[in-house]
Amino acid sequence: MPHSLIDSAHHIVLIAHQNPDADSLGAASAFYSYLLRTHKKVTLFCASSEVNPNLAFLPWFDKLTDRFPEDADCMISFDCGSYGRLGIEKELPLINVDHHVSNDFFGTHNLINTSAISTTEVVYDFFVANSIKINGKMALSLYAGLIDDSKCFSASQCTAKTFALAHSLIELGAEHALCVEWLYHRRSLASLRIQGVLLKQMKLLIDGRLAVFDVPLSLLEETGAGLAECKRVLDDALGMHCVQAAIMQIEHPKGGAKLSMRTDGTIDASKIMGSFGGGGHVQRAGMRLKQENFTELVENMMMMIKKEFE
Ligand SMILES: [Mn+2]
């Protein structure tokens, strides 16, 4: 049981994945609130030094650090489908809390529910099963993950359970309007600028069923946009009726690139990314391209995508 690990630990590090989204950071933030009650030392950690400013409304956002504490004796990762998503390597007991179909059970303990729409749903179920009281702050953190991973209740995986969970969290104090404002309506100038440039340069392949974007480092520097701001444009492309999948290659400042894919469910993004070492969900998946010369890999991937459409 993950409980015994938590009970015996003195300093627990809660880990949101690199370039965290509201699901990963929301789940970690809700757990932070809970662990504070146990009077243990807790650190809210993310290996990325820059975090999407649209997540600043989450409770404990100001506690987030990219410095891993030396006296930690237990780690809990949230929304990480593979060990690589943690962005660190430590020989410590690890509880892996997640909902990705591609999760490879890398934890000492694994708390995984692949039918949950968000990792925050997994955390909510854990709280309820263990009679842990959910306060307003925790409800907001959990609700943020639910909103993000359900694409504001527009994803095809939304079920009656999704809305029941939303109902419970609102009753517990989550503010719907606040979450939607921060996650969907608040735009930076950089976000609008890069949206304009990327949509203008978008390539449409396979009779307009696949949208392709290429983001060089120079464009990130020019516009000041970050990863989250780029990836948002994938959803814009999917808004076109003909587009069933969108893929983006974003050059990484430390070399290599990041690949992100979104689909409407016609083809499986997690299967495609999984074949090349990445992972995710049917409708969104990604991977990091480390090697300098990854052109061949991308070409092979494009061939696979074409075949999937046949
Ligand atoms: Mn998630």
Side-chain angles (χ1 to χ4, degrees):
M1 273 298 286
H3 257 326
S4 55
L5 258 186
I6 295 173
D7 287 347
S8 59
H10 297 286
H11 188 168
I12 301 174
V13 183
L14 305 176
I15 303 173
H17 60 64
Q18 288 175 291
N19 305 306
D21 56 10
D23 189 29
S24 185
L25 197 53
S29 152
F31 227 84
Y32 189 93
S33 293
Y34 156 54
L35 287 179
L36 284 184
R37 282 182 206 156
T38 66
H39 304 292
K40 288 178 189 298
K41 241 172 130 178
V42 198
T43 297
L44 191 55
F45 173 87
C46 175
S48 302
S49 50
E50 271 177 52
V51 173
N52 180 0
N54 282 53
L55 302 179
F57 72 102
L58 286 172
W60 315 114
F61 184 82
D62 57 334
K63 301 282 183 200
L64 190 62
T65 177
D66 60 355
R67 269 197 220 155
F68 198 92
E70 278 176 14
D71 64 340
D73 55 3
C74 179
M75 315 188 280
I76 311 179
S77 64
F78 297 92
D79 201 45
C80 298
S82 63
Y83 192 75
R85 295 288 282 139
L86 275 66
I88 42 133
E89 283 181 28
K90 299 279 174 190
E91 293 286 327
L92 289 175
L94 169 66
I95 303 170
N96 165 16
V97 185
D98 190 33
H99 69 127
H100 288 86
V101 185
S102 55
N103 195 292
D104 52 13
F105 291 74
F106 54 82
T108 321
H109 287 285
N110 300 285
L111 192 62
I112 292 160
N113 177 3
T114 54
S115 61
I117 197 160
S118 63
T119 294
T120 60
E121 183 180 328
V122 182
V123 172
Y124 174 85
D125 289 342
F126 173 84
F127 287 161
V128 171
N130 293 286
S131 308
I132 293 161
K133 191 180 177 305
I134 299 172
N135 65 21
K137 262 188 183 157
M138 291 152 93
L140 174 65
S141 300
L142 297 174
Y143 193 76
L146 185 64
I147 286 269
D148 201 22
D149 274 23
S150 71
K151 288 191 183 174
C152 208
F153 305 112
S154 71
S156 57
Q157 298 93 330
C158 282
T159 62
K161 197 184 171 217
T162 313
F163 290 97
L165 177 56
H167 176 102
S168 303
L169 291 172
I170 299 274
E171 277 195 332
L172 290 164
E175 290 171 75
H176 174 77
L178 179 89
C179 280
V180 175
E181 162 66 21
W182 276 84
L183 294 175
Y184 289 92
H185 297 160
R186 214 172 262 240
R187 303 290 299 265
S188 62
L189 179 61
S191 169
L192 290 170
R193 289 255 197 263
I194 200 145
Q195 182 186 35
V197 177
L198 288 179
L199 287 176
K200 200 173 167 192
Q201 293 174 354
M202 171 176 68
K203 281 185 213 135
L204 288 169
L205 307 179
I206 321 177
D207 300 325
R209 296 167 82 184
L210 176 69
V212 180
F213 299 92
D214 195 2
V215 188
L217 209 51
S218 57
L219 185 59
L220 295 178
E221 283 160 1
E222 251 167 57
T223 56
L227 273 185
E229 283 143 347
C230 294
K231 287 198 265 181
R232 191 176 181 141
V233 181
L234 288 167
D235 290 319
D236 294 327
L238 274 177
M240 274 192 293
H241 189 60
C242 62
V243 175
Q244 294 170 319
I247 189 162
M248 182 178 281
Q249 181 179 316
I250 307 165
E251 197 180 345
H252 200 279
K254 288 178 189 155
K258 161 104 186 141
L259 273 183
S260 279
M261 186 172 189
R262 298 279 185 277
T263 77
D264 64 358
T266 309
I267 61 168
D268 184 347
S270 124
K271 179 183 161 192
I272 291 161
M273 290 294 161
S275 311
F276 295 90
H281 306 283
V282 172
Q283 293 189 314
R284 58 175 174 187
M287 67 178 292
R288 177 95 161 82
L289 295 167
K290 278 192 176 147
Q291 68 270 45
E292 281 308 317
N293 192 3
F294 48 74
T295 325
E296 199 183 320
L297 187 153
V298 174
E299 274 170 18
N300 290 338
M301 186 181 282
M302 294 305 277
M303 299 242 290
M304 183 177 176
I305 293 173
K306 274 178 197 156
K307 274 202 190 115
E308 290 291 312
F309 272 119
E310 277 166 9

